[in-house]
Amino acid sequence: MPNPAIPFDNTYARDLPGFYEPCQPATVPAPELLFFNRGLAEELRLGLAGQDVAALAAIFSGNALPEGAQPIAQAYAGHQFGQFNPQLGDGRALLIGEVIDRQGRRRDIALKGSGRTPFSRRGDGKAAVGPMLREVLVGEAMHALGIPTTRALAVVSTGEPVYRERTLPGAILTRIAASHLRVGTFQFFASHGTEGQVRQLADYAIARHYPEQMAAEDRYLGFLRAVAERQAVLIAQWLHVGFIHGVMNTDNMAIPGETIDYGPCAFIEAYDPRAVFSSIDERGRYAYGEQPRIARWNLSRLAETLLPLIAGNEGHAISLATEVLDAFPARYQHHWLAGLRAKLGLRGQVSYGDQVDTALGESWLDLLHAQQVDFTLAWRRLADAAEGDEAPLRALFAAQPGLDRWLQRWRERCAAEDAAMANDGLPDRAVRMRRVNPWLIPRNHRVEEALDAASDAGNLAPFEQLLNALRRPFDEDPANARYAEPAPGSFMASFQTFCGT
Ligand code: AMP
Ligand code: MG
């Protein structure tokens, strides 16, 4: 029987020869389907509805690639913790093709953990069950939170061990992305390639992700500005849910503005701008509160690759690019403040002065920090306070006077707005707040618990239950109460994340 066909349209492979290496996935001994995202498969119009689990396992292990797949390993470079590595590339991933989804969006389908490629260096090209299921949980949670992200279509266990600090069961993830173009892709061709290749790559990226820039005369500068804008939006969203990416290297910053590469990521519990959980981030380069600054640093690396395209005169190109980069903090702040107002239950369209609202939000965060209050629950209980029920919020704070003073300021701000905007037809403040302040995030201890059960005992039930809960992060369903509870203090005190490579 022939392998099923997927209606691929592989522009990267077709239009960008020289930007990748063709490469076949390794064959795996005993593929078993651990996870399949039927809703996403439907959205992608893969036409696989009739396939049984064995056939899906064969497809998404790489053992039986669908007709029309063109597996390639993409070339990229990148700054890792500030150090330039000119040669990274897909060392354990393969782009197998692109499809057009139901909404007309082009999406990449890629395997991760599918064996060695010409870019593997010393790595084995493999991945383990735990980290791949982790990518499912966190990615699907981010998606449900409304944050742009790559998504997991499938996870297949391979029946093969992978050798890390200990021996782990192997797995392959199928990842869906708007594209896998990264800042590091530009860096690769700026450092090894020709100016013509950088231009070809930029034209491809513009046509695919920023078509509104195509006709503009200064389209490369416009492209840089548009990429920066999407990062400003994205990082503001990360901070508003307490997300720490953990390894914001330039090869992990996606040109289309999606969150990509869920390695050592984590969510904060007690609010702390300096929070770091990654075992390899010894100096806190990628700490929670550093992420906006790092985004700008990464965008500067992108800008460097585009200089020859931006203007013939290098000095002129630098000054134009610098203007875009210098505007980034204000663009970030703009999106952060808009999100903050929504979280505080303030109407977006009315501005009572950015400084007043920024100060109100910052003093709230200072209060959470000083008293080590759980970030997620504090916001959620503030919505209860908006309805007059302050007890749940008060229970989170050891000392009340600071909270009293802050609540009074917040109530005055809300009252002033309500007086000016009565009958605007919006739902009640508490309702609005509960739509933007999640009740559930993927709490680190629950994620670890679910992954340990799956990886050590082959028990997928905790993973599936947690995933189901995380798909409805704004619904306060008593059945999911255990997922809303903060971790025991002892857990967070020693919690560390690892790259999962
Ligand atoms: P990451 O830390 O996942 O962003 O990966 C950084 C680089 O290391 C990329 O070029 C990956 O392809 C490569 N890499 C990570 N894990 C492996 C592995 N097990 N085998 C080969 N290459 C890997
Ligand atoms: Mg990466």
Side-chain angles (χ1 to χ4, degrees), residues 388-408:
D389 183 8
E390 285 185 359
L393 178 65
R394 292 192 174 281
L396 299 175
F397 287 77
Q400 302 293 317
L403 177 62
D404 285 333
R405 280 192 299 276
W406 186 84
L407 279 175
Q408 187 172 340

Side-chain angles (χ1 to χ4, degrees), residues 64-84:
L65 283 184
E67 296 283 313
Q70 270 174 292
I72 58 174
Q74 292 176 306
Y76 56 86
H79 277 87
Q80 300 180 303
F81 290 89
Q83 293 297 313
F84 186 58

Side-chain angles (χ1 to χ4, degrees), residues 89-119:
D90 285 335
R92 59 161 172 171
L94 292 173
L95 173 60
I96 65 167
E98 301 155 32
V99 293
I100 307 294
D101 74 11
R102 285 195 187 282
Q103 294 174 50
R105 299 171 301 186
R106 180 174 296 279
R107 316 270 293 269
D108 274 6
I109 304 180
L111 302 179
K112 183 167 172 180
S114 48
R116 290 182 55 81
T117 78
F119 299 105

Side-chain angles (χ1 to χ4, degrees), residues 76 80 87-93 112 115-116 119-127 164 182 247 249 251-252 261 499-501:
Y76 56 86
Q80 300 180 303
Q87 179 90 10
L88 292 168
D90 285 335
R92 59 161 172 171
K112 183 167 172 180
R116 290 182 55 81
F119 299 105
S120 294
R121 293 169 288 158
R122 272 153 303 172
D124 60 2
K126 309 272 166 142
R164 300 294 182 259
R182 311 142 190 271
V247 58
N249 294 335
D251 54 305
N252 292 335
D261 234 336
C499 256
T501 50

